[in-house]
Amino acid sequence: MLVLGLESSCDETSAALLKDNEVIANTIYTQAVHSEYGGVVPEIASRTHIKKIDRLCLSVLEKNGYGPEDLDLIAVTDRPGLAGALLVGISFALGMHTTYKTPIIGVNHLEGHISSVLIENQDLSFPFLSLVVSGGHTAIYKVTDFGQYECIGTTIDDAAGEAFDKIGKMIGFPYPAGRAIEEEANKYAGNDCINFPVARLKTDGIDFSFSGLKTAVKYHLQENAENYLEENRPLLCYSFQQAVIKSFVSNMQRAVEETGINKITLVGGVACNSTIRKALSDKFGGNVFYPSPILCTDNAAMIAKAGLENYSRGERRFPSMSPTGSFKL
Ligand code: KG4
Ligand code: ZN
């Protein structure tokens, strides 16, 4: 079974090939142009997807000795995401579907992230808890099977990746800033830590909040002298990252206690962060699984994987663009 995955929900244009569950290509074009604006500009994202998607898609096929007529399935992200950006991937996939009569399936981007960990951990069995942490989402899902997801906690304001990006902007890093903050934090060799607050929410779910943390960092910078940042950037990044880790660890601890499930997966762009990976592994031992970094940030291999699994189970969701489409449970 040869599956083409297509991802264009935000600022990555990606095409991937999955052959019998093995990724044979996963090409990602990251639209660096947005860093000039400090965040993703939807109009520019759509235009850039249009410029890139055709060559990107044909080259993953050609480089692997295939043509469009060899595909058994096209899996395309159809929700959630930027409307214009989603439309580019969906329209391109529909064009191929119409021309070559290839079966097609719409994939929820979040289901893609959750599935990403199963590409390299094929023996990972259900149920498990999935901590999805990206630029647009921060949530914990109880995953009992493919297509069976229960959201048991979510952010009530910013996503974790968004917090990394906003703090990065405050301290002069280009968008997206997650990796730069991790690298800066790694330079800190001291033992002290600025005690930034970690929100404890009194909600029914196991929810997250990062906007208070963002404000605390802002006030901390305002309270200190101008040269403070220049001399303390590594400490600041380290302390911010520690606060995020504290929030992840305590919420996952609650999730484990409440569900009785102790297998944890960490997925999405923020899961690239080695310090966060290590903190979760230190806390929960060998029961934590994460994908390689290339499968953490937005990519089409995870979309192909989710599409293939759903298709194999008889699911036939024709793509229907839904920018705010929630994660159907
Ligand atoms: O999954 P992703 O590519 O896109 C969304 O679906 O949102 O995640 C992108 C996010 C950005 O906010 C970026 O700053 C963050 O992932 N990120 C990181 C790291 N690498 C990327 N955050 C923390 N540490 C990292 N090493
Ligand atoms: Zn994503």
Side-chain angles (χ1 to χ4, degrees), residues 109 113 134-136 161 164-165 176-179 182 269-270 272-273 296-298:
H109 181 81
H113 277 303
S134 69
F164 270 90
D165 297 336
R179 189 165 164 200
E182 181 188 5
V270 179
C272 288
N273 187 300
C296 288
T297 44
D298 287 350

Side-chain angles (χ1 to χ4, degrees), residues 4 12 25 71 86 111 145 169 174 244 263 312:
L4 172 72
E12 262 90 21
L71 293 169
L86 285 168
E111 188 170 20
D145 202 345
K169 198 171 183 176
V244 173
K263 246 180 290 167
S312 309

Side-chain angles (χ1 to χ4, degrees), residues 77-81 106-116 126 128-133 137-154 265 267 302-303 306 310 315 317 322-329:
T77 306
D78 68 347
R79 67 191 66 181
V107 173
N108 185 305
H109 181 81
L110 297 175
E111 188 170 20
H113 277 303
I114 292 175
S115 307
S116 65
F126 299 102
F128 56 80
L129 298 172
S130 188
L131 176 56
V132 183
V133 278
H137 304 274
T138 293
I140 305 171
Y141 292 96
K142 181 173 147 186
V143 184
T144 43
D145 202 345
F146 273 107
Q148 301 294 318
Y149 313 100
E150 184 190 345
C151 181
I152 58 170
T154 186
T265 67
V267 297
M302 68 185 194
I303 303 303
N310 283 333
E315 169 80 49
R317 186 156 65 72
S322 178
T324 54
S326 64
F327 197 12
K328 193 177 164 297
L329 305 177

Side-chain angles (χ1 to χ4, degrees), residues 75-266:
V76 61
T77 306
D78 68 347
R79 67 191 66 181
L82 302 170
L86 285 168
L87 268 180
V88 177
I90 295 169
S91 306
F92 186 82
L94 288 178
M96 290 185 82
H97 164 72
T98 308
T99 311
Y100 298 100
K101 309 285 174 269
T102 317
I104 190 167
I105 189 162
V107 173
N108 185 305
H109 181 81
L110 297 175
E111 188 170 20
H113 277 303
I114 292 175
S115 307
S116 65
V117 74
L118 296 159
I119 294 173
E120 297 162 318
N121 295 281
Q122 300 206 2
D123 296 335
L124 179 62
S125 58
F126 299 102
F128 56 80
L129 298 172
S130 188
L131 176 56
V132 183
V133 278
S134 69
H137 304 274
T138 293
I140 305 171
Y141 292 96
K142 181 173 147 186
V143 184
T144 43
D145 202 345
F146 273 107
Q148 301 294 318
Y149 313 100
E150 184 190 345
C151 181
I152 58 170
T154 186
T155 178
I156 59 157
D157 41 56
D158 293 348
E162 194 179 353
F164 270 90
D165 297 336
K166 286 180 175 169
I167 302 293
K169 198 171 183 176
M170 277 182 219
I171 62 174
F173 290 152
Y175 171 88
R179 189 165 164 200
I181 290 188
E182 181 188 5
E183 285 170 0
E184 198 69 14
N186 286 344
K187 293 180 192 163
Y188 182 65
N191 295 317
D192 299 334
C193 182
I194 308 160
N195 211 358
F196 290 129
V198 180
R200 287 199 152 270
L201 299 169
K202 289 197 175 68
T203 53
D204 288 343
I206 308 170
D207 292 334
F208 298 87
S209 167
F210 296 106
S211 75
L213 173 58
K214 183 185 65 192
T215 311
V217 174
K218 187 173 153 196
Y219 286 154
H220 183 79
L221 287 172
Q222 283 171 359
E223 282 158 12
N224 282 285
E226 261 178 39
N227 62 346
Y228 172 83
L229 182 59
E230 283 319 307
E231 288 163 15
N232 293 284
R233 211 181 245 108
L235 167 66
L236 191 93
C237 290
Y238 173 81
S239 306
F240 160 72
Q241 193 173 263
Q242 285 306 113
V244 173
I245 287 173
K246 227 169 167 180
S247 151
F248 286 176
V249 168
S250 69
N251 277 11
M252 288 318 287
Q253 177 70 42
R254 261 186 72 192
V256 168
E257 283 162 10
E258 284 189 16
T259 60
I261 298 170
N262 65 358
K263 246 180 290 167
I264 292 172
T265 67
L266 177 70

Side-chain angles (χ1 to χ4, degrees), residues 3-22:
V3 187
L4 172 72
L6 289 172
E7 159 63 35
S8 72
S9 65
C10 192
D11 57 340
E12 262 90 21
T13 321
S14 180
L17 282 178
L18 199 65
K19 182 155 171 53
D20 303 329
N21 260 316
E22 195 197 329

